[in-house]
């Protein structure tokens, strides 16, 4: 018996494209003598479709797609994830199609309920695990969380696991540990197919796994890329072309690859080609520019340098060095005239009030207007360049540096951004060294430094990580040895910045706790 | 036996304030010879606190508050909603406190799960309904949805219902029908206490109900205001001061009152006093200005008139008439210089490209920059003036007319906005008649009308209502008699505008389906 695992990149609601990919994979597998092709959880729709599951046009698209896939399965079988509807309920299901007939529909029992996705909002709980006799083998089909329900596995040869496990920089280790433990407990090999690709803010890394009954890796599919691989069953499972397993990959490198995929898919899946962003000479925008160049090609990235009277000469030089190093396009538009114009318009009202945050924000917002105008005129998509540390403490200007369709590093702390920059420079200098070593500054007033308003990032980020990512209480964080006054100040800043985070672009999610969907807050609270 | 129902306006997480209100009410009730005071669901915390329930400081505040309330109950009893924690779980609970002791903790069983609030994210399901012997009476305590679980009520005298039922313009009718049906089925009177006040975007109308065992109204508490009332139990329930029940109130008048309360609480609960908004001479901004004047006092409302070269003379006059009619403050800041400045800065890049949406957006965004600068300088809060029809079809400029901390009429369709304007003018002209009768226009290019880009609102709004509020499919909507091409065009516009709605201010919720929390969508989909 020969099985193919097909790890594909679906677009939510693009039934034509998703079905095309699935059918192509089935046709190709048939030509290779495959008996059964396995696709990931809710492959037909692309996961997670959120409230589109309520949409009857969407569900109709899904029903039509399953028909096309069924008809393509002549002389071959497949297991493919898709929604299943009865008159009253909708299920997260897997279809077993054999030679043009739907033989069985397996309905997921344990619905996903994490901080950003609640399947109970859409789906009913089904019967879960099913044991299937297929040719001379017997296997259990488990959809995602249902894997945990396997106990009695007598006479079963292996488990097929259809999942769509969202990426974070710790998700692979967690997934591996869970699947591997299941293998050992049930004494069964597992073939686990994962989704790959970015679904807007939510990323999927692929890395589908084939483990033996001791939980050891037989094979692993590509990270952040589509791949279909083939397995033979004789005495045990054999990969036809086993992967050379990666040596331990660094957290930084997988975040890097995830962000590049995130940008690429955001553009490709919406039919966009070109990006525009504001390039300040600082670390964050340089990092986003470098990632965008890698994802879209430097020729599709337009960096706008918008110096103000407070911009330092070295900032302009650092920005231009980045442009040279990457080969992207650039324009220089000094913002002075726009800022002056606003200040003059407001002078009668402001009279002799001293300059404060207002004037800093006018600079940031003038840049926002320029970026959006360029986006409107040329159809380029604005990439936001704020980081997670700033988002956490509210260090950013709504409608200013917080504009954009996608926040590339909004789930990356500043200290992680430094690591990413060094990683990008691993072979040659792409992000100018001076950009990396100079003290971070918003350059909105003379000699401004981030450290005027914020604790050092080396202090700030670990406290933010404890408070936001791990959900620890201030007293727990202080007990870890962090300075009490710093913890209290930072927690207060995070709480007071909640309103800003209501209106920021979606973040590419790389951690276990990204701002946005995962953090649901009241609009008004004390 | 004498019972007080205390319908109060809590601030989420403000334990000092909430406890103060609760204790004041207990002390006052004691002076009136009350035996038992009843407060609403999760009164101690203010509902809904969303992810603050995860926050250990928040939960600690709640624990301390319950102690203060317990100590205040000397010589009197109370039933008050608050969270209850065990080592492993958190419950939505009600505390029965008798003479300084917590006698019983009732834990809610049927957790709220609607489109904008999922209690299963936070709370465990408890045992639900409890029957309490209190003096010579026996009553059932039901927390919100648990009311539906009442079946066997032998020997019970009445039901006490603690709830926090969110307002929509149909919520009262629904609530009344449910409680009244329960009364008839169980043959029991019900005393139902509701929360009142705005919790950011989510509004609560109060209107606590006392019904007899036939489901008839004995009494009703105030709409949109705090009130505490007293009831005697002899043969049946008697209100000490029964309300004069309102004649049927119009949908428009309750939406009006809800919005006024929404603005008022948004400011009061955050310690803000003054609002600023852009006043165009059109309907939406005039309506928001009038609502803000009523909520905050005209002296606390600053309207900024920002005419462009495309603004008509009548617009400026209409705006000034509104200022005169309301007595609010105003400033006139023509935006021409800022717009020209941006156009000149962009001219080298744009070369001879024809003017398009870009230039319209530059106008809207220049106004956004000015409003935010005034907000920053004076600490006024920017009120957004977009309506639900525009939000639905994406007729608005991100970072332009979509700026603001609160969207006042973002859940009000344009046709409803017209009704609200007429209602506001019911006694004298506040919103200038010309503002109401002229064809709506964004005035971003010569002779522009909304009808150039959008179907007539009289056609648009009913289709939007079917698609968004009722979740009907296009084919269902067409089957109702709407024109096929219009339905398809409008549905397409709604689907394509999803990205804009990711970055707009929170809306005061007045319908059963407001954009925002209630609509969870993928960032990228086809």
């Amino acid at each position: 018996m020969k099985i193919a695992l097909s790890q594909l990149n679906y677009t939510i609601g693009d039934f034509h494209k998703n079905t095309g990919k699935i059918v192509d994979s089935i046709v190709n597998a048939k030509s290779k003598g495959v008996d059964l092709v396995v696709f990931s959880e809710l492959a037909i729709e692309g996961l997670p479709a959120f409230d589109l599951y309520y949409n009857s046009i969407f569900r109709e698209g899904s029903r039509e797609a399953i028909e096309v896939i069924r008809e393509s399965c002549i002389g071959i079988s497949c297991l493919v994830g898709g929604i299943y509807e009865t008159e009253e309920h909708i299920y997260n299901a897997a279809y077993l199609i054999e030679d043009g007939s739907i033989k069985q529909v397996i309905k997921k029992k344990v619905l996903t309920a994490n901080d950003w996705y609640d399947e109970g909002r859409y789906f009913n709980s089904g019967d879960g695990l099913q044991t299937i006799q297929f040719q001379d083998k017997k296997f259990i089909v488990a959809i995602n969380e249902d894997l945990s329900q396997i106990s009695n596995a007598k006479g079963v040869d292996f488990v097929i696991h259809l999942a769509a496990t969202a990426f974070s920089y710790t998700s692979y280790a967690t997934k591996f540990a869970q699947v591997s433990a299941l293998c050992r407990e049930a004494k069964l090999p597992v073939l686990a197919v994962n989704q790959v690709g970015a679904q807007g803010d939510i990323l999927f890394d692929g890395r589908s796994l084939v483990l033996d009954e001791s939980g050891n890796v037989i094979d692993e599919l590509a990270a952040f890329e589509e791949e279909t691989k083939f397995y033979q069953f004789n005495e045990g499972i054999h990969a036809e072309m086993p992967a050379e397993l990666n040596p331990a990959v660094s957290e930084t490198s997988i975040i890097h690859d995830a962000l590049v995929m995130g940008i690429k898919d955001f553009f490709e899946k919406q039919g966009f080609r070109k990006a525009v962003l504001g390039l300040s000479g600082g670390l964050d925008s340089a990092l986003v520019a470098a990632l965008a160049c890698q994802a879209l090609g430097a020729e599709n990235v337009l960096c706008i340098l918008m110096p103000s009277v407070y911009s330092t000469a070295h900032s302009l030089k650092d920005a231009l060095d980045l442009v040279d190093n990457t080969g992207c396009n650039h324009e220089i538009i000094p913002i002075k005239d726009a800022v002056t114009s606003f200040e003059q318009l407001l002078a009668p009202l402001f009279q002799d009030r001293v300059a404060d945050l207002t004037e800093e924000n006018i600079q940031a917002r003038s840049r926002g207007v320029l970026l959006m105008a360029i986006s409107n005129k040329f159809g380029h998509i604005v990439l936001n360049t704020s980081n997670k540390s700033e988002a956490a403490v509210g260090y950013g200007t709504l409608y200013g540096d917080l504009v954009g369709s996608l926040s590339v590093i909004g789930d990356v702390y500043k200290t992680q951004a430094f690591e990413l920059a060094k990683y990008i420079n691993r072979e040659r200098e792409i992000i100018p060294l001076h950009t990396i070593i100079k003290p971070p500054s918003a350059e909105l007033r003379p000699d401004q430094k981030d450290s005027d308003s914020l604790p050092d990032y080396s202090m700030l980020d670990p406290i933010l990580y404890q408070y936001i990512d791990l959900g620890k209480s201030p007293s727990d964080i202080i007990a870890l040895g962090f300075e009490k006054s710093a913890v209290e100040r930072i927690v207060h800043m995070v709480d007071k910045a909640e309103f800003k985070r209501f209106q920021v672009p979606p973040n590419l999610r790389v951690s276990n706790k990204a701002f946005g969907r995962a953090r649901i807050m009241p609009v008004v609270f004390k």
Side-chain angles (χ1 to χ4, degrees), chain A residues 296-453:
Chain A
L296 308 173
E299 70 280 12
N300 291 315
V301 177
L302 173 58
C303 289
I304 311 294
L305 286 61
M306 296 174 283
S308 77
V309 293
Y310 304 121
S311 299
T312 51
H314 68 73
S315 284
L316 197 64
K317 180 180 179 305
D318 291 342
L320 289 171
D321 284 349
L322 184 282
V323 168
D324 279 345
N325 294 350
T326 57
C328 69
N329 304 297
H330 82 286
E331 294 287 339
I332 303 178
I333 310 180
I335 60 169
K336 180 164 168 285
D337 292 355
V339 172
T340 305
S341 171
F342 281 121
E343 289 178 350
Q344 286 172 352
L345 289 175
L346 289 162
L349 186 56
F350 287 1
Q351 296 181 332
D352 299 325
R353 286 166 187 264
V354 290
D356 55 15
L357 266 181
T358 308
E359 285 71 20
E360 299 186 23
N361 284 337
I362 287 175
Q363 295 171 62
R365 292 195 175 110
S366 294
R367 292 187 176 115
V369 174
L370 290 167
L371 283 178
M372 293 306 297
I374 293 165
S375 171
N376 287 160
K377 189 60 91 183
F378 299 109
H380 294 18
I381 300 301
V382 177
L383 292 179
N384 180 276
T385 62
S386 298
N387 64 55
K388 188 175 186 175
S389 309
E390 292 172 339
V393 297
Y395 195 70
T397 302
L398 272 181
Y399 325 128
D401 55 308
L402 295 176
V403 306
S405 294
L406 181 70
S407 171
V408 175
I409 57 169
D411 193 30
V412 172
Y413 286 118
K414 186 79 171 191
T415 42
Q416 293 176 305
F418 280 108
E419 294 306 313
L420 281 167
K422 289 181 216 157
Y423 177 80
I424 286 171
N425 285 358
R426 65 198 180 280
E427 288 176 2
R428 64 180 184 89
E429 183 174 306
I430 291 171
I431 296 177
L433 204 61
H434 189 251
T435 289
I436 299 178
I437 60 172
K438 68 184 175 184
S441 166
E443 297 195 340
L444 293 170
R445 59 174 186 264
D447 302 323
Q448 185 179 26
K449 300 275 175 296
D450 288 9
S451 53
D452 302 343
S453 318

Side-chain angles (χ1 to χ4, degrees), chain A residues 33-67:
Chain A
V34 165
D35 299 290
L36 178 69
V37 202
V38 184
F39 302 92
S40 56
E41 184 182 10
L42 296 187
I44 292 168
E45 297 82 13
L47 180 158
F50 294 108
D51 286 8
L52 290 174
Y53 296 124
Y54 290 140
N55 187 314
S56 59
I57 311 175
F58 181 89
R59 297 203 305 273
E60 195 181 312
S62 173
R63 282 196 299 276
E64 289 170 6
I66 194 73
E67 276 307 290

Side-chain angles (χ1 to χ4, degrees), chain A residues 176-177 179-190 210-218:
Chain A
F176 181 84
V179 179
S180 175
L182 186 279
C183 292
R184 289 190 303 272
E185 281 162 32
K187 298 197 179 62
L188 283 177
V190 173
V210 181
L211 302 187
D212 68 19
E213 67 279 3
S214 306
N216 300 317
V217 179
I218 295 173

Side-chain angles (χ1 to χ4, degrees), chain A residues 31 113 117 132 153 158 189-190 244 253 288 299 309 342 353 355 370 397 444 467 490 504 523:
Chain A
S31 75
Y117 181 45
I132 312 258
F158 56 93
V190 173
E244 248 184 76
S253 79
V288 172
E299 70 280 12
V309 293
F342 281 121
R353 286 166 187 264
L370 290 167
T397 302
L444 293 170
Y467 187 56
I490 290 167
V504 295
V523 169

Side-chain angles (χ1 to χ4, degrees), chain A residues 36 79 94-96 98 103-106 129-142 155-158 160:
Chain A
L36 178 69
L79 251 174
Y95 292 80
L96 174 65
E98 290 184 28
K103 279 288 157 72
Q104 196 157 349
V105 181
I106 299 104
L129 302 175
Q130 297 295 326
T131 304
I132 312 258
Q133 180 73 46
F134 187 90
Q135 296 180 3
D136 60 335
K137 302 287 179 198
K138 210 169 179 180
F139 59 80
I140 294 173
V141 178
V156 171
D157 295 292
F158 56 93
I160 292 183

